[in-house]
Amino acid sequence: MTAPSDLADRLGLAPGARAIILNADDFGMCHAANTAIVDLLTTARIDSTTLMVPCAWSPEALAFAASRTDLDIGVHLVLTSEWSRYRWRPLTGAATTLVDADGFFPADVAAVEQEATDEEVAAELAAQLQAALDAGVDVTHLDNHMGSVYGLVTGRDFLRPVFALAARHGLPFRLPRSMDGVGADAALQQKLDEAAAAADAAGVEIIDRLWSHPFGLLGEGTSEEETYEQVRDGFVALLRAVPAGLTEVYLHPMIDDDELRAAVDYGAAKRGYEHRLLSDPVVLQAIEDEALVRVGWRDLRDLQRSRIR
């Protein structure tokens, strides 16, 4: 297990603190996402969320975010559109390297890494953040949909424009320093080391670890499909394994309804389960039993901005 950075110390946490940020991705993707995430945010079942500005239901999410500047709401930077029946487009227009043959963001990360230009990526990401700011959102942080800026497929990343954007606006970015808990890929860890050094040089706060659990249900559509209880128990095991330092645990909670099932190709039940488990007494008790310290992205933003005052 890699030793954590000094971030927890700089946040004023006790020595050896096991801190977590419970983040909900995909705010604004659809009404089912908005309903679930607003419920979890306003009841403090999650610590933050990130908003997909190009999506059709982002106006509803932006309006809520602008009305609740006390909550931690970031921008989920988007360069992909993964579903077959529900798609979204760049804010900067369709005459760019950011779209597929149908004029939408491509469905997969590989296409982004292979086709997009650095300049058009930078312009699009800046436009997404600016749209949130113009809507009145007190943006607390940035992260990235489907890891499309990390260079995970071909090795070509877009972290330089992301760090420049984050530094310019005084915002932390969701980048883990360590692969602890997600694999033992030496080449990928080396890439993370280089990216973390670049973030540090830009003055952008990042986290120690980034954890989640399987995106879809294991065995989905078969007789072996996971039950809610199995998903919950797996999530509790994940929480019990959180080590010292700051770990973001991200999920995709949504209401499992007709709208969601019409929008996504798979995983609707899992997203409904994730909404349910964040209010489950078993999960809440595990957080208490493990003495996990809940932290918000606003804490990291304040820390980052305090260095440049």
Side-chain angles (χ1 to χ4, degrees):
M1 188 70 69
T2 306
S5 70
D6 65 347
L7 178 58
D9 294 336
R10 291 187 291 113
L11 287 170
L13 303 181
R18 300 161 64 211
I20 59 171
I21 300 174
L22 291 175
N23 186 80
D25 286 5
D26 295 2
F27 194 31
M29 189 193 101
C30 56
H31 185 60
N34 293 351
T35 302
I37 290 170
V38 166
D39 170 50
L40 295 169
L41 271 177
T42 54
T43 57
R45 300 305 192 198
I46 54 175
D47 305 305
S48 63
T49 188
T50 41
L51 201 155
M52 299 176 72
V53 176
C55 292
W57 278 91
S58 66
E60 180 181 61
L62 288 165
F64 171 80
S67 73
R68 291 297 307 268
T69 55
D70 57 312
L71 299 173
D72 283 22
I73 299 175
V75 173
H76 201 48
L77 299 171
V78 176
L79 294 172
T80 51
S81 178
E82 68 271 32
W83 307 117
S84 63
R85 297 184 298 272
Y86 171 42
R87 311 292 306 281
W88 43 86
R89 305 175 190 271
L91 299 189
T92 49
T96 70
T97 58
L98 306 181
V99 299
D100 62 14
D102 297 317
F104 298 104
F105 284 119
D108 60 273
V109 171
V112 177
E113 294 182 13
Q114 292 165 352
E115 302 296 334
T117 68
D118 290 356
E119 296 76 16
E120 289 177 342
V121 166
E124 176 62 27
L125 300 185
Q128 292 178 21
L129 172 56
Q130 193 59 51
L133 295 171
D134 290 347
V137 181
D138 183 26
V139 177
T140 55
H141 64 295
L142 302 174
D143 65 20
N144 175 227
H145 187 57
M146 294 178 65
S148 57
V149 304
Y150 292 120
L152 298 176
V153 180
T154 69
R156 181 181 176 226
D157 66 70
F158 299 99
L159 289 172
R160 181 177 297 179
V162 170
F163 292 151
L165 183 66
R168 188 159 66 247
H169 291 272
L171 298 173
F173 176 65
R174 183 171 77 184
L175 174 80
R177 291 184 182 275
S178 169
M179 290 189 62
D180 287 349
V182 296
D185 187 322
L188 186 52
Q189 182 59 60
Q190 181 178 351
K191 188 171 181 61
L192 279 181
D193 292 342
E194 294 167 357
D200 292 341
V204 174
E205 291 289 352
I206 60 175
I207 54 177
D208 292 317
R209 291 168 219 91
L210 179 61
W211 286 9
S212 189
H213 54 164
F215 186 76
L217 286 176
L218 298 179
E220 184 170 355
T222 74
S223 60
E224 302 299 317
E225 181 175 294
E226 277 185 292
T227 65
Y228 167 73
E229 290 74 21
Q230 289 172 315
V231 171
R232 182 196 62 197
D233 293 348
F235 188 65
V236 167
L238 180 149
L239 292 173
R240 295 196 188 284
V242 169
L246 179 56
T247 303
E248 185 189 273
V249 179
Y250 68 94
L251 305 99
H252 303 85
M254 300 185 185
I255 304 299
D256 181 6
D257 60 10
D258 289 344
E259 182 214 19
L260 181 61
R261 288 183 176 260
V264 302
D265 301 320
Y266 64 93
K270 178 66 176 294
R271 290 174 178 231
Y273 287 172
E274 291 187 350
H275 176 229
R276 179 179 170 187
L277 69 83
L278 288 168
S279 297
D280 191 310
V282 174
V283 172
L284 301 179
Q285 189 62 51
I287 294 173
E288 182 176 342
D289 290 346
E290 295 298 314
L292 298 174
V293 180
R294 302 274 295 275
V295 175
W297 278 101
R298 188 179 305 269
D299 300 314
L300 276 74
R301 187 188 69 176
D302 291 347
L303 183 65
Q304 180 170 326
R305 291 180 176 180
S306 71
R307 300 199 311 266
I308 58 176
R309 286 174 186 159

